[in-house]
Amino acid sequence: MNILIGQPKMEQNLEQLKLEIESNPTVDLILYPEGYCTYTQLDRVSELAIQFKTSIVLGYRDESNKDRVLIVNNKGETLLTRRKTPEDELLLMPSSATDGSEQYGYLLCREIFMGREGLKTHEHLSIIFNPIGVGMFSEEQFTEWSEEARKIAVERKAMIIGTSHADGSYRNCGVSIPIAYCFDENGEEVFLSKNDTRTRVLDTISKEVSILELSF
């Protein structure tokens, strides 16, 4: 499987997603960050998935401006949608979805710190996705986040992939370290990106990563 991992800038439309899917029509799946689009654009997301036969994983904002999960398969069907887990709650909602021979896990942003507990009963996961809203607010958070991802990969014996937006900052604190990462099922680093917002395409079989130079 070829997965495109994007780190788009925050925007009011789907221009970056459209450009990347049109420029890479042979990828099997696209991973974008938390809160990339709003509920008003979900029909267009499904249309793009159908048009390019590409599954799309991201996060979106609902009518109440709350963050929600989204996995759409290459037929435009919604495989998973749910609200973001409120702070200090365990993952009590469904956090996996099956698409053919693949079973995906999904941790939206800070849910990664509940992932080992929340995904404990989810067996046979092939890939776990972690869409993140904005980048890390410190070097310490960057290290903590990536190490937690590694632990989840080892415990669940599944590849885990995460990505944030290229811009924005946590609660407008003014500090943002964009992050994108992948650890394999043994916890080995496939890639770990800090302050490098270039798009990547990952071959999940060979674990080779191509870096794309696209201008937005």
Side-chain angles (χ1 to χ4, degrees):
M1 177 187 291
N2 289 319
I3 299 178
L4 184 151
I5 301 104
Q7 297 177 81
K9 293 181 180 179
M10 294 182 174
E11 60 175 355
Q12 298 301 313
N13 49 44
L14 302 176
E15 289 306 313
Q16 292 167 91
L17 177 61
K18 288 188 288 186
L19 174 60
E20 294 210 297
I21 199 170
E22 289 168 358
S23 301
N24 301 278
T26 61
V27 299
D28 302 297
L29 185 146
I30 289 180
L31 173 63
Y32 257 36
E34 173 192 31
Y36 171 68
C37 67
T38 68
Y39 71 96
T40 60
Q41 297 159 324
L42 296 186
D43 287 345
R44 183 58 180 142
V45 171
S46 294
E47 290 169 3
L48 288 169
I50 294 168
Q51 180 181 353
F52 292 94
K53 297 180 175 59
T54 302
S55 299
I56 299 174
V57 179
L58 48 74
Y60 72 97
R61 296 289 180 90
D62 64 16
E63 298 91 332
S64 302
N65 201 37
K66 301 295 185 181
D67 285 303
R68 295 185 66 87
V69 162
L70 183 68
I71 298 180
V72 174
N73 67 12
N74 59 14
K75 298 177 183 177
E77 301 166 337
T78 298
L79 301 182
L80 178 65
T81 184
R82 63 165 173 80
R83 65 173 183 158
K84 181 177 181 177
T85 302
E87 292 188 35
D88 303 321
E89 285 190 20
L90 293 178
L91 286 173
L92 303 178
M93 294 162 284
S95 293
S96 65
T98 301
D99 187 10
S101 62
E102 303 286 350
Q103 186 167 10
Y104 303 133
Y106 193 123
L107 300 166
L108 189 57
C109 200
R110 66 174 181 269
E111 292 174 356
I112 191 169
F113 294 104
M114 298 178 284
R116 282 185 283 167
E117 179 67 26
L119 292 176
K120 187 175 291 185
T121 60
H122 294 264
E123 298 181 357
H124 311 302
L125 297 177
S126 51
I127 304 173
I128 300 168
F129 296 113
N130 179 217
I132 305 162
V134 295
M136 307 289 98
F137 56 74
S138 67
E139 293 284 348
E140 291 77 13
Q141 188 195 28
F142 182 92
T143 299
E144 181 184 21
W145 201 286
S146 55
E147 284 304 309
E148 188 65 23
R150 188 194 304 272
K151 292 174 185 176
I152 292 170
V154 171
E155 184 161 316
R156 301 307 312 137
K157 301 298 180 189
M159 179 175 283
I160 183 167
I161 311 171
T163 189
S164 76
H165 283 94
D167 58 352
S169 61
Y170 178 68
R171 296 183 178 176
N172 297 315
C173 69
V175 178
S176 179
I177 304 172
I179 182 174
Y181 71 82
C182 176
F183 296 99
D184 69 13
E185 62 277 6
N186 299 312
E188 296 295 324
E189 180 184 312
V190 179
F191 69 86
L192 178 58
S193 167
K194 177 171 65 175
N195 279 324
D196 180 354
T197 59
R198 293 175 296 178
T199 295
R200 290 164 171 77
V201 175
L202 166 68
D203 183 329
T204 60
I205 302 300
S206 68
K207 298 177 184 174
E208 293 183 355
V209 179
S210 302
I211 297 180
L212 307 180
E213 301 286 355
L214 291 176
S215 299
F216 297 123

